[in-house]
Amino acid sequence: VSTQSTGIDIDKVTWFVVTPYVAQGVVGVGIGFLADYLTIKRGWQVKSVRHLAQAIGMFGPALALYGAAFAVSTPVGGMLMMTIALGLSSCTAVGHSMLQHDIAPAHAGVLFAVGNMVATVPGIVGVLSSGWLLRAFEGDWAAPLSLSATFYVIGGVVWLVCARTTPVV
């Protein structure tokens, strides 16, 4: 038995679903240890570590999504690109996720919660727009994947230009 849209054997779908999230967890823990090592043992500035992690976490997934959109033609290739994208996106935990503590140490929890709440809007709109794009482009995943990749690039540039690590509040 296979799924209609991908031709993937239904018994193997679990690997396609789980693998990207396993990569996200492993890379997320790894980037945390690396960030601590760079700041504590190597003496890097916190801002430099945050910028490096955020750049990897935004531009890496963008490249993987562009790859999934235009360079792969098999379900396994698509899963590999999505695994790379989700794995690298976890690097933002050291970038923007920690930035709230840098800029507002006394209010980091509230700032993170509000930011997380606002971030659900693109998630909702993204699902709706992906469905619309898939219908408009006759099931071609290049449109929603490249649009998502483009938002990663724009967000990464804006973050790198605007992010500060000095306390504001």
Side-chain angles (χ1 to χ4, degrees):
V1 177
S2 68
T3 61
Q4 290 178 350
S5 63
T6 62
I8 300 169
D9 184 344
I10 198 74
D11 295 330
K12 294 183 175 86
V13 167
T14 302
W15 291 107
F16 281 82
V17 174
V18 171
T19 303
Y21 293 102
V22 169
Q24 190 175 37
V26 170
V27 173
V29 171
I31 194 69
F33 280 113
L34 179 61
D36 289 346
Y37 171 78
L38 291 174
T39 54
I40 295 167
K41 301 283 188 187
R42 303 294 298 202
W44 282 37
Q45 295 288 323
V46 170
K47 182 178 180 181
S48 298
V49 173
R50 301 263 187 269
H51 277 76
L52 175 63
Q54 192 69 18
I56 293 168
M58 296 296 279
F59 302 126
L63 289 173
L65 290 172
Y66 284 130
F70 302 112
V72 299
S73 58
T74 66
V76 172
M79 185 205 51
L80 179 62
M81 290 293 113
M82 295 307 290
T83 300
I84 291 168
L86 277 177
L88 293 178
S89 74
S90 67
C91 293
T92 63
V94 170
H96 87 87
S97 294
M98 291 304 300
L99 192 69
Q100 287 89 352
H101 179 71
D102 295 335
I103 64 172
H107 307 286
V110 172
L111 185 59
F112 184 82
V114 170
N116 214 28
M117 180 186 69
V118 171
T120 61
V121 174
I124 294 166
V125 173
V127 171
L128 295 171
S129 64
S130 291
W132 180 83
L133 287 169
L134 285 170
R135 277 193 300 276
F137 290 92
E138 299 176 357
D140 185 2
W141 278 93
L145 290 173
S146 59
L147 179 62
S148 181
T150 300
F151 280 125
Y152 264 107
V153 170
I154 293 168
V157 169
V158 169
W159 196 93
L160 290 173
V161 169
C162 297
R164 307 284 183 262
T165 55
T166 52
V168 176
V169 179

